[in-house]
Amino acid sequence: MATLDTKLVDVVGDRTAKVLATGIGAKTVGDLLRHYPRRYVVRGELTDISTLKADDEVTILAEIFSASTRTLQGRKGTILEVVVTDGSSKLSLTFFNQAWRERELKVGRQGLFAGKVGVFKGKRQLAHPDYELIADGGDVDSAVDDFAGKYLPVYPATAKLPSWKVAQCMTLAIDALDEVPDFLPESIRLEHGYTSLKDALIALHQPFDIDAAEKARERLTFDEAFLLQLLLVVRRQELRKLKATARPVRSGGLLDAFDKSLPFELTGGQRSVVSEIENDLSASHPMHRLLQGEVGSGKTVVAIRAALAVVDSGGQAALLAPTEVLAQQHLRTLEKLLGPLAHGGMLGGGEHATQITLITGSQSAASRNESLALAASGDAGIVIGTHALLGESVAFKDLGLIIVDEQHRFGVEQRDALKSKAEFPPHLLVMTATPIPRTVAMTVFGDLDISTLRELPLGRQPITTHVVPSLEKPAFMERAWSRIKEEVALGHQAYVVAPRISASAPTDSDMDFLFGTTTSELASVEELAPTLHSGPLKGLRVAILHGQLGSEEKDATMRSFTMGEIDVLVTTTVIEVGVDVPNATIMVIMDADRFGVSQLHQLRGRVGRGTSPGLCLLVTNAPPDALARQRLDAVGATLDGFELSRIDLEQRREGDVLGANQSGTRSHLRLLRVLRDEGLIDLARTNAQRIIDADPTLAAAPELAKALALLQADAAAEYIDKG
Ligand code: ADP
Ligand code: MG
């Protein structure tokens, strides 16, 4: 008898085992049984031939309508043409020099035919298809072939391995299969009415009816969600066991001074997140919290308060930002809000003052050395930086808190690099302005505690978004530029965003996977700025900003823009995240169809941050019926970041939804789709939590512990260590 670990060689023989190994990567019985059918065909229910599209790889069930062999004209050889039908449409199958097949391809017989749909003289056909003749629905009982059931599984086929070959191997494996140990605890199985693992596997491959197949599929999908959630719950439990220095809030220090100088009241949402964070910081195990919030919801203040609390208690905080522009902005914000308290050790610095320093890749050696010294000595309570902060030369005296702003730009390894700079596990706060649907968050960040800021500060005016089809309606484009002039006349400022820096540069768009990087027609900052300055925006103060400028230049430009000395900033996506100039009220995005939904939402979040309404114009050359236009319309239709991120994710492949650092676990997710299977993921989370609460080491569930260990091992390398 075979187990799931039995080598396929012992079940299907040497040659077939080789084909299975190369064809579908299956080496054991378990591997094979986890190769799930894509769908089923029902014996007697013929495939609708009219739905077949050219170039599709298909496996169809059809009946032979006619078969005839003729000799080729002017060439040696014969051609056998078999016409199959579903009762109304017809499809022809052609075989060269295989006249002998005419004997078995008898009119009236049914079979599975597999191949690539081609078109010949305007008619669809399958050239040299693989086929397997079967007994029709009427005489299943007398069937002599391998397909005894009514439902025939259809597997993703490869040339060497047609669907029915896989099915034959499946039958061999299932017939040889002994009892399969079931890792899913019985209580959970009963709760959901699931069958045993063995029965589920059999029902999926050889279903008695479609309901049984569906139920089996649900159980196996649940298995995937459950094991993954179990992994995350266990992971969280382990993080909680780590020791960290508690950093309880102290009064009379920097934090109090900061609160006093804050020009606004915290929103209710901010206040509750603040108290969650303060709770975490005062515990003696490390905080692992994700703060997700709508663009402009005020995450920075919350993060700064956490940093100051840690400084007050004698530790240091590191603030990691994805761009230099944002890092510089954080420095300016902190210096402004803290005033003299940001100048510890200097004349005029207050009693509790600290220092704040910036570490970026493009600073001069002298200023870098100064910053490194401040970080290492502990004199700098807050160290802000880009990825340069991860460099080996960067050391801290007592790193107590790591804040990662705009986390979707940072990978796991980078966070780990920072953590290794602390003696004890530091507290961690990860922030993202790309709110993701709850179940995606649960799956991708399942070992983090999640705080969400949904509301925007009071007094915000909504952003209006319009799509501007520049080719169809050139007058609209002129109107866009005059809108900028009107805003500037009111004392406001504008962004014009282009996908490229220069005519020859690649784009800054995250949708290149759709378009490739041929960019000849796309707007660029360096071409656009002078054109606007000498043309439609004549008389306005126009400046450019992009990632290739030196750090001083970037800083100087952003400073002037912030102070209102520049009217129009022509820029790339360097301003996509975090940039905060409340006086900017209008943004024109050129070639907006090149950007993804979430990216556009982020970009647009740069305006409407003050008390005046914001306007965002999405300029596009894409034709009205293009998919890209639908994306733009979607962005125009809602300001809800959660909804937009869902639309964005739905357009991506599952692997992209989960993110690159899920590759270790991804191979275990065959059936689960995070967006579609929300309900299952929810249940799985609750069940996993309950199991671990009752039995933290899974002592009473050895099979489950084994399955988990397997997943942990595969996940280990790249692990979802968001913490
Ligand atoms: P994000 O969540 O996108 O990072 P920011 O933290 O940059 O948002 O905040 C956006 C703007 O809102 C900033 O100008 C900030 O000073 C302001 N802000 C934050 N909290 C409040 C509040 N409670 N009331 C008024 N304005 C606020
Ligand atoms: Mg921000």
Side-chain angles (χ1 to χ4, degrees), residues 299-300 405-406 578:
K299 294 181 290 295
T300 316
D405 196 10
E406 302 301 347

Side-chain angles (χ1 to χ4, degrees), residues 167-191:
Q168 284 161 5
C169 296
M170 223 51 97
T171 304
L172 289 175
I174 286 171
D175 289 349
L177 195 60
D178 206 342
E179 268 318 302
V180 175
D182 194 344
F183 57 82
L184 198 61
E186 197 181 353
S187 60
I188 296 181
R189 233 165 57 209
L190 292 177
E191 177 183 333

Side-chain angles (χ1 to χ4, degrees), residues 296 298-300 326 329-330 405-406 431 433 577-579 606 609:
K299 294 181 290 295
T300 316
L326 188 52
Q329 173 184 288
H330 282 322
D405 196 10
E406 302 301 347
M431 301 196 289
V577 290
V579 166
R606 302 310 114 214
R609 296 172 83 81

Side-chain angles (χ1 to χ4, degrees), residues 21 39 68 221 261 312 325 560 568 580 587 694:
R39 60 192 171 88
S68 60
T221 309
S261 72
D312 276 342
V325 170
S560 319
V568 182
D580 185 40
M587 171 177 283

Side-chain angles (χ1 to χ4, degrees), residues 24 26 30-37 155-157 166 170 205 670:
I24 57 174
D31 294 342
L32 180 64
L33 290 173
R34 298 282 182 194
H35 184 68
Y36 301 133
Y155 296 94
V166 178
M170 223 51 97
H205 293 291
R670 288 155 201 266

Side-chain angles (χ1 to χ4, degrees), residues 310-321:
V310 168
V311 176
D312 276 342
S313 80
Q316 291 171 286
L319 172 52
L320 198 58

